[in-house]
C-alpha cells in the first residue's frame, strides 16, 4: 500500500478552481469570469506590444547571460519599482530609506514581507479587510502572523463601511499590522476616497499601526499609475514606515512571469540596509533568488522613456475597456428591467464587480448559463466583452427574477 494512502483529497482553490471547472465544461457559450486576468474584446489573453518589444530587445542582446541574480533580485528593477509606486522624486527613495527586493509577483512579496514581520516585528497581529482576496489569510497565517479582520464592505450600500473600519482599526492594539489594498480593492471594487484615506492615515499613525500595502493593480483602477499610487504616497509623505507589495501581473500583463517587488520604507538609510540584510535571510532558504526574465522585461520598459510612455497608453486602454464593460453591463440590466439597483456596477473600480449575487444565484448561472465566477458573486469585468455582456445580463436577470 502507498505510504500516502491516508491522504485526503484537498478541495480546489476557490478562485483557481473556477477555471478548472470552466475547462471541463464542453458548452460553446461558456464564460469564465472567475480569475482576474485581462481579456481582449475577442476574449483572448493580451501580451502588451511594449512587452513584446522589450522581449525582442532582450533576445537580441547577445551579452545577456542566464547567471543567478542576487538574492534580492535585479538592482535596476528594484530601484525602478520603488520609484514607480512611491513617485519618481520620492524623498524616501532619494534618502535611501527604502529597501526593495524582487519577489515572486504580488503573492511572493506578501509572503516575504509577512515572514520578515513574523521574525522581526514586535506585533504579530495583522488586520485584513473583510472581505479580502482569499489568499491573504492563508499567506499571512503561514508566514507566522495571526490574522484578524476589520470591517470594510457594507452589503446594504454595496459601498465602504467607513464607520466600521474606523472603529475596528481604532480598537486594534497599538503597533498592529494593517493590510491595505492600495487601489481597486479585491473582491469588492470599493475604495476609500482620498479624504477617507487621509482619515485612515491619521488614525493609523496616531495608534502606531503599521501599514502593509498590497498594490496588485496600480494603473488598472483609474488608468493612471500616479492616481492609483496616491494612497501609498500619502503614507510615505508623512515620514512614517510601511511595507508595499507590488505586482506586475495585471498592469504589465506578466501574470505567469511572476514578477513583483517588496519595498520596506524605513526611517533611516541605516535601518533600511539592516532590514535588507534580514530580508535576504528570509529569501535564501525559501527560493534562493528570483527569476531573471520577467524582471528584465519590467526594467527594460521602466528605464526607457519611449517604452514607458507606450506602456502607460496600453495600460490606459485596458483600464478604459474594463470601465466601458461596467457601463455596458449596467445598461444591459437597465434595458431588461432587471429588479434592483445596479449602480454599484459603475461605481465600483478595478478588475472586479462585487455583484451582490448570492452563492445559489451563482450556482444557477453556472448550471443554466455556463457562466463561471467565484461563489461570493464576484465577476471579473476584464473577462467580459461587448459580445458576452448580453449573455451575462440574461443570466443575472434570470437569477434574480
Ligand atoms: N493581491 C491581490 C489583492 C490580488 O488580487 C492579487 C491577484 N489576484 C495578488 C495580490 C497577487 O497576484 P500575483 O501573485 O499574481 O501578483
Amino acid at each position: 500500500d502507498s505510504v500516502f494512502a491516508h491522504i485526503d483529497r484537498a478541495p480546489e482553490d476557490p478562485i483557481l478552481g473556477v477555471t478548472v471547472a470552466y475547462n471541463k465544461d464542453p458548452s460553446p457559450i461558456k464564460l469564465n469570469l472567475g480569475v482576474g486576468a485581462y481579456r481582449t474584446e475577442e476574449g483572448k489573453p493580451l501580451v502588451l506590444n511594449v512587452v513584446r518589444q522589450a522581449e525582442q530587445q532582450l533576445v537580441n542582446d547577445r551579452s545577456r547571460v542566464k547567471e543567478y541574480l542576487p538574492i534580492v533580485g535585479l538592482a535596476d528593477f528594484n530601484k525602478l519599482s520603488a520609484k514607480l509606486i512611491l513617485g519618481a522624486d520620492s524623498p524616501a527613495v532619494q534618502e535611501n530609506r527604502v529597501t526593495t527586493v524582487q519577489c515572486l509577483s504580488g503573492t511572493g512579496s506578501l509572503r516575504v514581507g509577512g515572514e520578515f514581520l513574523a521574525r522581526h516585528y514586535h506585533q504579530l497581529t495583522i488586520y485584513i479587510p473583510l472581505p479580502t482576496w482569499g489568499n491573504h489569510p492563508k499567506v499571512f497565517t503561514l508566514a507566522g502572523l495571526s490574522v484578524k479582520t476589520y470591517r470594510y464592505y457594507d452589503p446594504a450600500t454595496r459601498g465602504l463601511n467607513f464607520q466600521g473600519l474606523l472603529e475596528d482599526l481604532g480598537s486594534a492594539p497599538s503597533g498592529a499590522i494593517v493590510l491595505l489594498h492600495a487601489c481597486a480593492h479585491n473582491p469588492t471594487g470599493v475604495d476609500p476616497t482620498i479624504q477617507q484615506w487621509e482619515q485612515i492615515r491619521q488614525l493609523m499613525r496616531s495608534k502606531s499601526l503599521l501599514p502593509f500595502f498590497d498594490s496588485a493593480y496600480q494603473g488598472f483602477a483609474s488608468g493612471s499609475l500616479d492616481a492609483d499610487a496616491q494612497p501609498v504616497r500619502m503614507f510615505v509623505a508623512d515620514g512614517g514606515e510601511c511595507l508595499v507589495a507590488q505586482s506586475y501581473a495585471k498592469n504589465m500583463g506578466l501574470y505567469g512571469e511572476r514578477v513583483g517587488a517588496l519595498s520596506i520604507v524605513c526611517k533611516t538609510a541605516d535601518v533600511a540596509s539592516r532590514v535588507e540584510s534580514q530580508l535576504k535571510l528570509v529569501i535564501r532558504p525559501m527560493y534562493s533568488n528570483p527569476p531573471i526574465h520577467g524582471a528584465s522585461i519590467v526594467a527594460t520598459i521602466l528605464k526607457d522613456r519611449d517604452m514607458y510612455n507606450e506602456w502607460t497608453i496600453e495600460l490606459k486602454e485596458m483600464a478604459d475597456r474594463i470601465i466601458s464593460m461596467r457601463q455596458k453591463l449596467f445598461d444591459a440590466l437597465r434595458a431588461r428591467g432587471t429588479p434592483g439597483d445596479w449602480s454599484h456596477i459603475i461605481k465600483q473600480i478595478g478588475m472586479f464587480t462585487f455583484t451582490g449575487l448570492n452563492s445559489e444565484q451563482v450556482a444557477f448561472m453556472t448550471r443554466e448559463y455556463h457562466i463561471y465566477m467565484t461563489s461570493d458573486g464576484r465577476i471579473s469585468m476584464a473577462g467580459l466583452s461587448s459580445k458576452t455582456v448580453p449573455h451575462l445580463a440574461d443570466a443575472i436577470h434570470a437569477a434574480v427574477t
Side-chain angles (χ1 to χ4, degrees), residues 143-399:
L145 297 172
S146 140
V147 174
K148 292 212 166 106
T149 59
Y150 62 89
R151 279 171 284 172
Y152 189 84
Y153 178 75
D154 182 357
T157 62
R158 291 183 181 150
L160 185 67
N161 181 355
F162 191 51
Q163 208 48 46
L165 178 153
L166 291 179
E167 280 169 26
D168 290 349
L169 296 188
S171 52
S174 167
I177 309 155
V178 179
L179 183 93
L180 301 161
H181 294 228
C183 69
H185 182 274
N186 175 7
T188 67
V190 173
D191 284 351
T193 64
I194 286 300
Q195 292 72 26
Q196 289 169 331
W197 273 116
E198 177 53 22
Q199 272 178 271
I200 296 168
R201 188 193 66 77
Q202 285 176 15
L203 172 68
M204 285 184 57
R205 291 311 194 195
S206 75
K207 297 205 54 184
S208 304
L209 301 175
L210 182 65
F212 192 160
F213 281 99
D214 182 357
S215 177
Y217 299 95
Q218 188 185 355
F220 230 79
S222 68
S224 155
L225 288 158
D226 288 324
D228 289 352
Q230 211 185 332
V232 178
R233 292 178 190 174
M234 287 164 65
F235 277 76
V236 175
D238 68 16
E241 301 182 302
C242 69
L243 291 82
V244 189
Q246 279 169 276
S247 168
Y248 289 97
K250 324 284 157 138
N251 59 14
M252 271 196 205
L254 292 175
Y255 307 89
E257 295 289 355
R258 310 310 294 147
V259 52
L262 171 73
S263 285
I264 305 188
V265 180
C266 304
K267 289 262 164 137
T268 68
D270 178 50
V271 172
S273 92
R274 280 182 281 135
V275 165
E276 181 163 313
S277 72
Q278 291 294 341
L279 285 172
K280 291 199 233 175
L281 298 193
V282 173
I283 292 167
R284 175 67 169 145
M286 203 192 282
Y287 55 82
S288 195
N289 47 68
I292 196 166
H293 188 65
S296 304
I297 295 171
V298 173
T300 302
I301 293 169
L302 293 184
K303 72 179 156 201
D304 181 284
R305 182 185 292 267
D306 291 339
M307 287 177 113
Y308 181 92
N309 288 339
E310 178 166 349
W311 174 45
T312 62
I313 292 165
E314 290 192 76
L315 177 56
K316 177 123 187 5
E317 279 168 8
M318 290 193 285
D320 285 348
R321 200 188 80 74
I322 295 173
I323 292 166
S324 79
M325 286 305 115
R326 292 186 178 282
Q327 191 63 48
K328 285 213 162 87
L329 179 60
F330 176 73
D331 292 345
L333 291 170
R334 268 260 184 95
R336 282 161 181 73
T338 307
D341 172 9
W342 297 95
S343 62
H344 56 287
I345 294 176
I346 42 182
K347 283 186 210 138
Q348 292 173 358
I349 189 162
M351 207 160 210
F352 302 106
T353 287
F354 211 46
T355 57
L357 295 165
N358 62 35
S359 59
E360 279 112 67
Q361 292 165 328
V362 170
F364 167 85
M365 288 168 57
T366 305
R367 200 172 58 239
E368 303 293 329
Y369 288 82
H370 305 274
I371 293 175
Y372 290 80
M373 56 205 263
T374 49
S375 60
D376 59 3
R378 183 192 84 163
I379 56 178
S380 170
M381 299 309 284
L384 269 182
S385 72
S386 309
K387 269 180 267 154
T388 53
V389 162
H391 180 55
L392 175 61
D394 288 345
I396 294 176
H397 187 85

